[in-house]
Amino acid sequence: EPEVTQTPSHQVTQMGQEVILRCVPISNHLYFYWYRQILGQKVEFLVSFYNNEISEKSEIFDDQFSVERPDGSNFTLKIRSTKLEDSAMYFCASSWRQGGMKDEQYFGPGTRLTVT
Amino acid sequence: AQSVTQLGSHVSVSEGALVLLRCNYSSSVPPYLFWYVQYPNQGLQLLLKYTSAATLVKGINDFEAEFKKSETSFHLTKPSAHMSDAAEYFCAVSGDGGYQKVTFGTGTKLQVIP
């Protein structure tokens, strides 16, 4: 069964450094998402992406964050200057291939980001 | 805007007992509702989903949930708890179409006592 993959599984970085989290959505899916989960808290929506542009973003997704689909398979989340409070599990998700059902987002296994 | 409220951050049941995890939703449009399970240090796995078809939804591992519009509820049940069911469970809601952002509840940690 096709699945969303994410790399790396764990990223440790120093405060102020830039990080790029990578995701490979399910092939032929058209919607892509990033969510985060701070330890012990609920999963929060960050951003959705469709047709090569952001379709919706939350208030968390400020100017320090950006997303990109650099090629036909990858979907990335960049944090320009990491803060301690960016430490969290980041989940990528994708949904909807053309002609299929729109009703389910498939989540990747997550990247645990630790900012020191 | 959509939101979900999960009643009880921790639930303990004995092995073999009924599992009932409560979720109430708020939505200004017909909701798509989901239950996800998260095992320690793992990602999110979809248990089941409601997408305006049958109100009683069956999912994996004998879990099921019933959509009750009059009560704005989508409670998750399982007739007989197994030790492997110990995990955190998230109720979630999405707007019409399902491709909109998913809004998660705060989660319920299920403990299964042998």
Side-chain angles (χ1 to χ4, degrees), chain A residues 31 33 35 37 41-45 56 89 91 95 102-105 107-109 112, chain B residues 32 34 36 38 41-44 46 49 51 90 97-102 104-106:
Chain A
Y31 279 88
Y33 313 82
Y35 294 81
Q37 183 182 31
Q41 299 185 24
K42 67 177 181 179
V43 179
E44 301 173 290
F45 168 78
E56 187 177 1
M89 181 75 90
F91 293 104
S95 71
K102 292 184 179 180
D103 59 6
E104 181 179 339
Q105 294 179 19
F107 284 81
R112 181 164 298 284
Chain B
Y32 282 54
F34 310 88
Y36 287 89
Q38 185 180 35
N41 300 313
Q42 294 190 27
L44 297 161
L46 182 69
K49 61 184 178 185
T51 58
F90 292 93
Y99 56 88
Q100 297 181 18
K101 68 178 182 182
V102 175
F104 287 82
T106 51

Side-chain angles (χ1 to χ4, degrees), chain B residues 30-71:
Chain B
Y32 282 54
L33 292 160
F34 310 88
W35 275 98
Y36 287 89
V37 62
Q38 185 180 35
Y39 297 99
N41 300 313
Q42 294 190 27
L44 297 161
Q45 181 182 6
L46 182 69
L47 277 178
L48 49 80
K49 61 184 178 185
Y50 167 78
T51 58
S52 75
T55 56
L56 183 61
V57 180
K58 294 187 183 299
I60 61 172
N61 299 336
D62 295 327
F63 282 96
E64 62 181 40
E66 187 172 7
F67 173 73
K68 291 187 176 180
K69 186 176 180 181
S70 61
E71 299 177 7

